[in-house]
Amino acid sequence: QAQLVESGGGLVQAGGSLRLSCVASERTFSTYTMGWFRQAPGKEREFVAAIFRTYGRTYYGDSVKGRFTISRDNAKTTIYLQMDNLKLEDTALYYCAADRGLILSSIQRPDQYDYWGQGTQVTVSS
């Protein structure tokens, strides 16, 4: 089974940038759908971005379109989340997630992902 480890979070001023990384232990990493989710205190887990398993197409939540970019390096079994123009409302615990068989219409649903990392904290200040 896949194990996921996130890194790259930290404290950044509004308007700044961070790049998150998620390393997967699974050798067949390239066959998995990979996603990023985030959760702030008192709020539901929110879809951020994902790469679909079949075609490698990318998808983004409305709140981050144009600012965040998801990418993958299959040789390193790693996905990245480049976050630019960070806003105060981006403050959250960011999770990496993976699944082998979810369908495209379910790509934004946290309950459809079988594997999760421990999370990495992103805090945006003014």
Side-chain angles (χ1 to χ4, degrees):
Q1 296 185 356
Q3 293 186 350
L4 309 174
V5 180
E6 304 101 329
S7 63
L11 177 64
V12 64
Q13 288 187 322
S17 298
L18 283 174
R19 190 189 192 194
L20 306 184
S21 299
C22 173
V23 180
S25 62
E26 174 58 53
R27 291 181 297 171
T28 59
F29 162 81
S30 62
T31 68
Y32 284 63
T33 295
M34 303 295 298
W36 287 98
F37 293 80
R38 67 187 184 186
Q39 189 165 23
K43 297 183 179 180
E44 296 181 355
R45 190 162 297 188
E46 177 188 17
F47 172 74
V48 175
I51 297 180
F52 191 60
R53 57 180 166 84
T54 303
Y55 305 109
R57 290 178 294 185
T58 58
Y59 302 86
Y60 296 91
D62 290 340
S63 64
V64 305
K65 287 180 180 177
R67 299 189 298 120
F68 291 9
T69 304
I70 188 172
S71 61
R72 71 193 303 162
D73 185 333
N74 289 331
K76 297 181 179 179
T77 65
T78 300
I79 63 167
Y80 304 93
L81 184 68
Q82 178 66 44
M83 304 185 294
D84 297 320
N85 303 122
L86 283 161
K87 303 176 179 180
L88 293 177
E89 55 264 39
D90 294 321
T91 295
L93 188 64
Y94 283 71
Y95 296 94
C96 177
D99 194 82
R100 291 181 293 175
L102 67 77
I103 60 176
L104 182 58
S105 61
S106 299
I107 201 166
Q108 299 186 49
R109 294 176 55 182
D111 62 306
Q112 297 299 301
Y113 289 77
D114 287 336
Y115 307 104
W116 292 85
Q118 82 288 347
T120 185
Q121 179 67 38
V122 172
T123 302
V124 183
S125 68
S126 60

